Structures are given as structure tokens and as C-alpha cells.
Amino acid sequence: GEGARLLQGTDDVDVPQARALALLAHAQSPDLRLQLVKGADHRFSEPRELAILAATLDELLAAVAP
């Protein structure tokens, strides 16, 4: 099965952490994870956050690669 990842910055003023937790509670996936990133805002545009996004995509793609 496919995995799903939710990435949430602790400094996100656009989407409250409670919404990410509610989504986590209701979403269906055999491999669902929520990652809180301390200091990240909604854009996830700083080099550190872009690296987290890239690593997350690499992990998901590796899990479904033939």
C-alpha cells in the first residue's frame, strides 16, 4: 500500500496544528505519518524545510519503486 505524509510547521499561522491532527485522525492510509517541523511556517520554503520535503518524497517514491 501507499504511504502518506503530512508535514506541519510549528510556526504555521495559516493552518492550525489541530487541523493537521484532525486530518491524521480521519485519513485512511496503511502508512500515514504526521511530521511537525519546529520553526517552519506554512510555506516550507527555507532550505532546511525544502530538504525535509525532498527526503520525504524520496522515502515515499522508494517505497513504490519497482
Side-chain angles (χ1 to χ4, degrees):
E2 294 83 28
R5 301 295 180 266
L6 306 171
L7 300 173
Q8 173 77 33
T10 60
D11 289 351
D12 188 338
V13 296
D14 296 306
V15 178
Q17 289 181 33
R19 182 159 302 158
L21 291 169
L23 182 57
L24 179 69
H26 294 295
Q28 299 294 316
S29 174
D31 183 15
L32 178 62
R33 300 179 202 172
L34 169 61
Q35 181 175 358
L36 293 175
V37 180
K38 188 172 184 174
D41 64 14
H42 186 72
R43 294 174 303 191
F44 262 72
S45 59
E46 295 297 320
R48 176 183 71 112
E49 291 124 23
L50 293 173
I52 291 168
L53 285 170
T56 301
L57 287 172
D58 287 346
E59 175 194 5
L60 290 169
L61 291 172
V64 297

